[in-house]
Amino acid sequence: DTEVTQTPKHLVMGMTNKKSLKCEQHMGHRAMYWYKQKAKKPPELMFVYSYEKLSINESVPSRFSPECPNSSLLNLHLHALQPEDSALYLCASSPKQGLAKNIQYFGAGTRLSVL
Amino acid sequence: AQKITQTQPGMFVQEKEAVTLDCTYDTSDQSYGLFWYKQPSSGEMIFLIYQGSYDEQNATEGRYSLNFQKARKSANLVISASQLGDSAMYFCAMREINYGQNFVFGPGTRLSVLP
């Protein structure tokens, strides 16, 4: 089973709202990722967690706050977003970060609209 | 410099025909992995096939095969017997083992399968 589950599927929020995106995997993977994807563009890496510790932050604005409560769960907390943050947010997981054949398995994403 | 190039923004193929999606890459790392993902309009990134830089045989997964030409730094995806459900965006990605380890995605190719 290569399933990564993301909730919600769609989210509309105002610029003053606080919301969270959730990602869950039960494949025993120890690396989890957040990507942002704008329309007609490839995904852009935001954060990487390895063994529940933040290992990479690709200079993401502080209005995005990741959290990894346990090895199966990854959250992305959103606060005071801008309209340009509207995008598809994809979560992925992989067995470990350092493997050569490090296949990342993606969820279906959350389509976020910031009004 | 762009590390992954996909020169075909859009491609059309007749149902049941074979199609080749181009991917060229640039790296000075001797150890790397190449991946192809499919993204339907629903948004989920679906892993298709993997090729390691030291793999001597071209990778195959069902109707998907990877035409790996290491000296030319190309990793083209071949889809045989196209189906209507193959209509999607296709992304080529690379992971350099010694330089950063993160996925770098190409700009993608939109494939449309015609009935």
Side-chain angles (χ1 to χ4, degrees), chain B residues 31-73:
Chain B
S31 183
Y32 53 90
L34 297 158
F35 305 77
W36 277 92
Y37 283 85
K38 170 186 177 182
Q39 188 176 39
S41 56
S42 59
E44 182 179 2
M45 296 278 284
I46 302 167
F47 167 72
L48 296 179
I49 197 166
Y50 165 84
Q51 180 85 40
S53 58
Y54 294 116
D55 294 341
E56 295 184 353
Q57 305 264 2
N58 284 343
T60 60
E61 291 284 351
R63 293 187 300 111
Y64 305 107
S65 61
L66 201 152
N67 184 359
F68 181 46
Q69 297 187 44
K70 191 170 181 177
R72 298 179 63 183
K73 294 188 176 178

CSV table of all heavy atoms in Angstrom, one decimal, chain B residues 31-73:
chain,number,residue,atom,x,y,z
B,31,SER,N,26.6,9.7,-9.0
B,31,SER,CA,25.5,8.8,-8.4
B,31,SER,C,24.2,9.6,-8.4
B,31,SER,O,24.1,10.6,-7.6
B,31,SER,CB,26.0,8.4,-7.0
B,31,SER,OG,25.1,7.5,-6.5
B,32,TYR,N,23.3,9.2,-9.1
B,32,TYR,CA,22.0,9.9,-9.1
B,32,TYR,C,20.9,9.0,-9.5
B,32,TYR,O,21.1,7.9,-10.0
B,32,TYR,CB,22.0,11.1,-10.1
B,32,TYR,CG,22.5,10.8,-11.5
B,32,TYR,CD1,21.6,10.4,-12.5
B,32,TYR,CD2,23.8,10.8,-11.8
B,32,TYR,CE1,22.0,10.1,-13.8
B,32,TYR,CE2,24.3,10.5,-13.1
B,32,TYR,CZ,23.4,10.2,-14.1
B,32,TYR,OH,23.8,9.9,-15.3
B,33,GLY,N,19.7,9.4,-9.3
B,33,GLY,CA,18.5,8.6,-9.7
B,33,GLY,C,17.6,9.5,-10.5
B,33,GLY,O,17.5,10.7,-10.4
B,34,LEU,N,16.9,8.8,-11.4
B,34,LEU,CA,16.0,9.5,-12.3
B,34,LEU,C,14.6,8.9,-12.2
B,34,LEU,O,14.5,7.7,-12.0
B,34,LEU,CB,16.5,9.4,-13.8
B,34,LEU,CG,17.8,10.0,-14.1
B,34,LEU,CD1,18.5,9.4,-15.3
B,34,LEU,CD2,17.6,11.5,-14.2
B,35,PHE,N,13.6,9.8,-12.1
B,35,PHE,CA,12.2,9.3,-11.8
B,35,PHE,C,11.3,10.0,-12.8
B,35,PHE,O,11.5,11.1,-13.3
B,35,PHE,CB,11.8,9.8,-10.4
B,35,PHE,CG,12.8,9.4,-9.3
B,35,PHE,CD1,14.0,10.1,-9.1
B,35,PHE,CD2,12.4,8.4,-8.4
B,35,PHE,CE1,14.8,9.7,-8.1
B,35,PHE,CE2,13.3,8.0,-7.4
B,35,PHE,CZ,14.5,8.7,-7.2
B,36,TRP,N,10.2,9.2,-13.1
B,36,TRP,CA,9.1,9.8,-13.8
B,36,TRP,C,7.8,9.7,-13.0
B,36,TRP,O,7.6,8.7,-12.4
B,36,TRP,CB,8.9,9.1,-15.1
B,36,TRP,CG,9.8,9.5,-16.3
B,36,TRP,CD1,11.0,9.0,-16.6
B,36,TRP,CD2,9.5,10.6,-17.2
B,36,TRP,NE1,11.5,9.7,-17.7
B,36,TRP,CE2,10.6,10.7,-18.1
B,36,TRP,CE3,8.4,11.5,-17.4
B,36,TRP,CZ2,10.7,11.6,-19.1
B,36,TRP,CZ3,8.5,12.4,-18.4
B,36,TRP,CH2,9.6,12.5,-19.2
B,37,TYR,N,7.1,10.8,-13.0
B,37,TYR,CA,5.8,10.9,-12.3
B,37,TYR,C,4.7,11.3,-13.3
B,37,TYR,O,5.0,12.1,-14.2
B,37,TYR,CB,5.9,11.9,-11.1
B,37,TYR,CG,6.6,11.4,-9.9
B,37,TYR,CD1,8.0,11.5,-9.8
B,37,TYR,CD2,5.9,10.8,-8.9
B,37,TYR,CE1,8.7,11.0,-8.7
B,37,TYR,CE2,6.6,10.4,-7.7
B,37,TYR,CZ,7.9,10.5,-7.6
B,37,TYR,OH,8.6,10.0,-6.5
B,38,LYS,N,3.5,10.8,-13.0
B,38,LYS,CA,2.3,11.2,-13.8
B,38,LYS,C,1.4,12.0,-12.8
B,38,LYS,O,1.2,11.6,-11.7
B,38,LYS,CB,1.6,10.0,-14.3
B,38,LYS,CG,0.3,10.2,-14.8
B,38,LYS,CD,-0.4,8.8,-15.1
B,38,LYS,CE,-1.8,9.0,-15.7
B,38,LYS,NZ,-2.4,7.6,-15.9
B,39,GLN,N,0.9,13.1,-13.4
B,39,GLN,CA,0.0,13.9,-12.6
B,39,GLN,C,-1.3,14.2,-13.3
B,39,GLN,O,-1.4,15.0,-14.2
B,39,GLN,CB,0.6,15.3,-12.1
B,39,GLN,CG,-0.3,16.0,-11.1
B,39,GLN,CD,0.4,17.3,-10.6
B,39,GLN,OE1,1.0,18.0,-11.4
B,39,GLN,NE2,0.2,17.6,-9.3
B,40,PRO,N,-2.4,13.4,-13.0
B,40,PRO,CA,-3.7,13.7,-13.7
B,40,PRO,C,-4.2,15.0,-13.2
B,40,PRO,O,-3.7,15.6,-12.2
B,40,PRO,CB,-4.5,12.5,-13.2
B,40,PRO,CG,-3.6,11.5,-12.6
B,40,PRO,CD,-2.4,12.3,-12.1
B,41,SER,N,-5.3,15.4,-13.7
B,41,SER,CA,-6.0,16.6,-13.4
B,41,SER,C,-6.4,16.6,-11.9
B,41,SER,O,-6.6,17.7,-11.3
B,41,SER,CB,-7.1,17.0,-14.3
B,41,SER,OG,-8.1,15.9,-14.3
B,42,SER,N,-6.6,15.5,-11.3
B,42,SER,CA,-7.0,15.4,-9.9
B,42,SER,C,-5.9,15.9,-9.0
B,42,SER,O,-6.1,16.2,-7.8
B,42,SER,CB,-7.3,13.9,-9.5
B,42,SER,OG,-6.2,13.1,-9.8
B,43,GLY,N,-4.6,15.9,-9.4
B,43,GLY,CA,-3.5,16.5,-8.7
B,43,GLY,C,-2.5,15.6,-8.1
B,43,GLY,O,-1.4,16.0,-7.8
B,44,GLU,N,-2.9,14.3,-7.9
B,44,GLU,CA,-1.9,13.4,-7.2
B,44,GLU,C,-0.8,13.1,-8.2
B,44,GLU,O,-0.9,12.9,-9.3
B,44,GLU,CB,-2.6,12.1,-6.9
B,44,GLU,CG,-1.8,11.1,-6.2
B,44,GLU,CD,-2.5,9.8,-5.8
B,44,GLU,OE1,-3.7,9.7,-6.2
B,44,GLU,OE2,-1.9,8.9,-5.2
B,45,MET,N,0.4,13.1,-7.6
B,45,MET,CA,1.6,12.7,-8.4
B,45,MET,C,1.8,11.2,-8.2
B,45,MET,O,2.0,10.7,-7.1
B,45,MET,CB,2.9,13.5,-7.8
B,45,MET,CG,2.8,15.0,-7.9
B,45,MET,SD,3.3,15.5,-9.6
B,45,MET,CE,5.1,15.3,-9.4
B,46,ILE,N,1.8,10.5,-9.3
B,46,ILE,CA,1.9,9.1,-9.3
B,46,ILE,C,3.2,8.6,-9.8
B,46,ILE,O,3.6,9.0,-10.9
B,46,ILE,CB,0.8,8.5,-10.2
B,46,ILE,CG1,-0.6,8.9,-9.7
B,46,ILE,CG2,0.8,6.9,-10.2
B,46,ILE,CD1,-1.7,8.6,-10.6
B,47,PHE,N,4.0,7.9,-9.0
B,47,PHE,CA,5.3,7.4,-9.4
B,47,PHE,C,5.1,6.3,-10.5
B,47,PHE,O,4.3,5.4,-10.3
B,47,PHE,CB,6.0,6.8,-8.2
B,47,PHE,CG,7.2,6.0,-8.5
B,47,PHE,CD1,8.4,6.6,-9.0
B,47,PHE,CD2,7.2,4.6,-8.4
B,47,PHE,CE1,9.5,5.8,-9.3
B,47,PHE,CE2,8.3,3.8,-8.8
B,47,PHE,CZ,9.4,4.4,-9.2
B,48,LEU,N,5.9,6.5,-11.5
B,48,LEU,CA,5.9,5.5,-12.6
B,48,LEU,C,7.1,4.6,-12.7
B,48,LEU,O,6.9,3.4,-12.8
B,48,LEU,CB,5.7,6.3,-13.9
B,48,LEU,CG,4.5,7.1,-14.2
B,48,LEU,CD1,4.6,7.8,-15.5
B,48,LEU,CD2,3.2,6.3,-14.1
B,49,ILE,N,8.3,5.2,-12.7
B,49,ILE,CA,9.4,4.4,-13.0
B,49,ILE,C,10.7,5.1,-12.5
B,49,ILE,O,10.7,6.3,-12.4
B,49,ILE,CB,9.5,4.1,-14.5
B,49,ILE,CG1,10.4,3.0,-14.9
B,49,ILE,CG2,9.9,5.4,-15.3
B,49,ILE,CD1,10.3,2.5,-16.3
B,50,TYR,N,11.7,4.3,-12.2
B,50,TYR,CA,13.0,4.7,-11.6
B,50,TYR,C,14.1,4.1,-12.4
B,50,TYR,O,14.1,3.0,-12.8
B,50,TYR,CB,13.1,4.4,-10.1
B,50,TYR,CG,14.5,4.5,-9.6
B,50,TYR,CD1,14.9,5.7,-9.1
B,50,TYR,CD2,15.3,3.4,-9.5
B,50,TYR,CE1,16.2,5.8,-8.6
B,50,TYR,CE2,16.6,3.5,-9.0
B,50,TYR,CZ,17.0,4.7,-8.5
B,50,TYR,OH,18.3,4.8,-8.0
B,51,GLN,N,15.2,5.0,-12.6
B,51,GLN,CA,16.4,4.5,-13.2
B,51,GLN,C,17.6,5.0,-12.4
B,51,GLN,O,17.7,6.2,-12.1
B,51,GLN,CB,16.5,5.0,-14.6
B,51,GLN,CG,17.8,4.6,-15.3
B,51,GLN,CD,17.7,3.2,-16.0
B,51,GLN,OE1,16.6,2.9,-16.5
B,51,GLN,NE2,18.7,2.4,-16.0
B,52,GLY,N,18.5,4.2,-11.9
B,52,GLY,CA,19.7,4.6,-11.2
B,52,GLY,C,20.8,4.8,-12.2
B,52,GLY,O,20.9,4.1,-13.2
B,53,SER,N,21.7,5.7,-11.8
B,53,SER,CA,22.8,6.0,-12.7
B,53,SER,C,23.7,4.9,-13.0
B,53,SER,O,24.4,4.8,-14.0
B,53,SER,CB,23.6,7.2,-12.2
B,53,SER,OG,24.1,6.9,-10.9
B,54,TYR,N,23.8,3.9,-12.1
B,54,TYR,CA,24.6,2.8,-12.3
B,54,TYR,C,23.9,1.5,-12.8
B,54,TYR,O,24.5,0.5,-13.0
B,54,TYR,CB,25.3,2.4,-10.9
B,54,TYR,CG,26.2,3.4,-10.4
B,54,TYR,CD1,26.0,4.1,-9.2
B,54,TYR,CD2,27.4,3.8,-11.1
B,54,TYR,CE1,26.8,5.1,-8.8
B,54,TYR,CE2,28.3,4.8,-10.7
B,54,TYR,CZ,28.0,5.4,-9.5
B,54,TYR,OH,28.8,6.4,-9.0
B,55,ASP,N,22.6,1.7,-13.1
B,55,ASP,CA,21.8,0.6,-13.6
B,55,ASP,C,22.2,0.4,-15.1
B,55,ASP,O,22.2,1.3,-15.9
B,55,ASP,CB,20.3,0.8,-13.5
B,55,ASP,CG,19.9,0.9,-12.1
B,55,ASP,OD1,20.6,0.4,-11.2
B,55,ASP,OD2,18.8,1.4,-11.8
B,56,GLU,N,22.6,-0.8,-15.4
B,56,GLU,CA,23.0,-1.1,-16.8
B,56,GLU,C,21.8,-1.3,-17.8
B,56,GLU,O,21.9,-1.1,-19.0
B,56,GLU,CB,24.0,-2.2,-16.8
B,56,GLU,CG,25.3,-1.9,-16.1
B,56,GLU,CD,26.3,-3.0,-16.2
B,56,GLU,OE1,26.0,-4.1,-16.7
B,56,GLU,OE2,27.5,-2.8,-15.7
B,57,GLN,N,20.8,-1.9,-17.2
B,57,GLN,CA,19.6,-2.2,-18.0
B,57,GLN,C,18.6,-1.0,-17.9
B,57,GLN,O,18.5,-0.4,-16.9
B,57,GLN,CB,18.9,-3.4,-17.5
B,57,GLN,CG,19.8,-4.6,-17.4
B,57,GLN,CD,19.6,-5.5,-18.6
B,57,GLN,OE1,18.9,-5.2,-19.5
B,57,GLN,NE2,20.3,-6.6,-18.6
B,58,ASN,N,17.9,-0.8,-19.0
B,58,ASN,CA,16.8,0.2,-19.0
B,58,ASN,C,15.7,-0.3,-18.1
B,58,ASN,O,15.3,-1.5,-18.2
B,58,ASN,CB,16.3,0.5,-20.4
B,58,ASN,CG,17.2,1.3,-21.2
B,58,ASN,OD1,18.1,2.0,-20.7
B,58,ASN,ND2,17.1,1.3,-22.5
B,59,ALA,N,15.1,0.6,-17.3
B,59,ALA,CA,14.0,0.2,-16.4
B,59,ALA,C,12.7,0.0,-17.2
B,59,ALA,O,12.5,0.7,-18.2
B,59,ALA,CB,13.8,1.3,-15.3
B,60,THR,N,11.9,-1.0,-16.7
B,60,THR,CA,10.6,-1.2,-17.3
B,60,THR,C,9.6,-1.5,-16.2
B,60,THR,O,10.0,-2.1,-15.2
B,60,THR,CB,10.6,-2.4,-18.3
B,60,THR,OG1,11.0,-3.6,-17.6
B,60,THR,CG2,11.6,-2.2,-19.5
B,61,GLU,N,8.4,-0.9,-16.4
B,61,GLU,CA,7.3,-1.2,-15.4
B,61,GLU,C,6.0,-1.3,-16.2
B,61,GLU,O,5.5,-0.3,-16.6
B,61,GLU,CB,7.2,0.0,-14.4
B,61,GLU,CG,8.3,0.1,-13.4
B,61,GLU,CD,8.2,-0.9,-12.3
B,61,GLU,OE1,7.2,-1.7,-12.2
B,61,GLU,OE2,9.2,-1.0,-11.5
B,62,GLY,N,5.6,-2.5,-16.6
B,62,GLY,CA,4.4,-2.6,-17.3
B,62,GLY,C,4.5,-2.0,-18.7
B,62,GLY,O,5.4,-2.3,-19.5
B,63,ARG,N,3.6,-1.0,-19.0
B,63,ARG,CA,3.6,-0.3,-20.3
B,63,ARG,C,4.7,0.8,-20.3
B,63,ARG,O,4.8,1.5,-21.4
B,63,ARG,CB,2.3,0.3,-20.6
B,63,ARG,CG,1.2,-0.8,-20.8
B,63,ARG,CD,-0.1,-0.2,-21.3
B,63,ARG,NE,-0.7,0.8,-20.3
B,63,ARG,CZ,-0.8,2.1,-20.5
B,63,ARG,NH1,-0.3,2.6,-21.6
B,63,ARG,NH2,-1.3,2.8,-19.5
B,64,TYR,N,5.3,1.1,-19.2
B,64,TYR,CA,6.3,2.1,-19.2
B,64,TYR,C,7.7,1.6,-19.2
B,64,TYR,O,8.1,0.6,-18.6
B,64,TYR,CB,6.2,2.9,-17.8
B,64,TYR,CG,4.8,3.5,-17.6
B,64,TYR,CD1,4.0,2.9,-16.6
B,64,TYR,CD2,4.3,4.6,-18.3
B,64,TYR,CE1,2.7,3.4,-16.3
B,64,TYR,CE2,3.1,5.1,-18.0
B,64,TYR,CZ,2.3,4.5,-17.1
B,64,TYR,OH,1.0,5.0,-16.8
B,65,SER,N,8.5,2.2,-20.0
B,65,SER,CA,10.0,1.9,-20.1
B,65,SER,C,10.8,3.2,-20.1
B,65,SER,O,10.3,4.2,-20.6
B,65,SER,CB,10.3,1.0,-21.2
B,65,SER,OG,10.0,1.6,-22.5
B,66,LEU,N,12.0,3.1,-19.7
B,66,LEU,CA,12.8,4.3,-19.6
B,66,LEU,C,14.0,4.1,-20.6
B,66,LEU,O,14.7,3.1,-20.4
B,66,LEU,CB,13.3,4.6,-18.2
B,66,LEU,CG,13.7,6.0,-17.9
B,66,LEU,CD1,13.5,6.3,-16.4
B,66,LEU,CD2,15.2,6.2,-18.2
B,67,ASN,N,14.2,4.9,-21.6
B,67,ASN,CA,15.3,4.8,-22.5
B,67,ASN,C,16.4,5.7,-21.9
B,67,ASN,O,16.4,6.9,-22.1
B,67,ASN,CB,14.8,5.3,-23.9
B,67,ASN,CG,15.9,5.2,-24.9
B,67,ASN,OD1,17.0,4.7,-24.6
B,67,ASN,ND2,15.6,5.5,-26.1
B,68,PHE,N,17.3,5.0,-21.2
B,68,PHE,CA,18.4,5.7,-20.5
B,68,PHE,C,19.7,5.7,-21.4
B,68,PHE,O,20.2,4.6,-21.7
B,68,PHE,CB,18.7,5.0,-19.2
B,68,PHE,CG,19.7,5.6,-18.3
B,68,PHE,CD1,19.8,6.9,-18.1
B,68,PHE,CD2,20.7,4.8,-17.7
B,68,PHE,CE1,20.7,7.5,-17.3
B,68,PHE,CE2,21.6,5.3,-16.9
B,68,PHE,CZ,21.7,6.7,-16.7
B,69,GLN,N,20.1,6.9,-21.7
B,69,GLN,CA,21.3,7.1,-22.5
B,69,GLN,C,22.2,8.0,-21.7
B,69,GLN,O,22.2,9.2,-21.7
B,69,GLN,CB,21.0,7.7,-23.9
B,69,GLN,CG,20.2,6.8,-24.7
B,69,GLN,CD,20.0,7.2,-26.1
B,69,GLN,OE1,21.0,7.7,-26.8
B,69,GLN,NE2,18.8,7.2,-26.6
B,70,LYS,N,23.1,7.3,-20.9
B,70,LYS,CA,23.9,8.0,-19.9
B,70,LYS,C,24.8,9.1,-20.5
B,70,LYS,O,25.0,10.2,-20.0
B,70,LYS,CB,24.6,7.0,-19.0
B,70,LYS,CG,25.3,7.6,-17.8
B,70,LYS,CD,25.8,6.4,-16.9
B,70,LYS,CE,26.4,7.0,-15.7
B,70,LYS,NZ,26.9,5.8,-14.8
B,71,ALA,N,25.5,8.7,-21.6
B,71,ALA,CA,26.5,9.6,-22.2
B,71,ALA,C,25.8,10.8,-22.7
B,71,ALA,O,26.3,11.9,-22.7
B,71,ALA,CB,27.2,8.9,-23.3
B,72,ARG,N,24.6,10.7,-23.2
B,72,ARG,CA,23.8,11.8,-23.7
B,72,ARG,C,23.0,12.5,-22.6
B,72,ARG,O,22.3,13.5,-22.8
B,72,ARG,CB,22.9,11.4,-24.8
B,72,ARG,CG,23.6,10.8,-26.0
B,72,ARG,CD,22.6,10.3,-27.1
B,72,ARG,NE,21.8,11.5,-27.6
B,72,ARG,CZ,20.8,11.3,-28.5
B,72,ARG,NH1,20.5,10.1,-28.9
B,72,ARG,NH2,20.1,12.4,-28.9
B,73,LYS,N,23.0,12.0,-21.4
B,73,LYS,CA,22.3,12.5,-20.3
B,73,LYS,C,20.8,12.7,-20.6
B,73,LYS,O,20.2,13.7,-20.5
B,73,LYS,CB,22.9,13.8,-19.8
B,73,LYS,CG,24.3,13.6,-19.2
B,73,LYS,CD,24.8,14.9,-18.5
B,73,LYS,CE,26.1,14.6,-17.8
B,73,LYS,NZ,26.7,15.8,-17.2
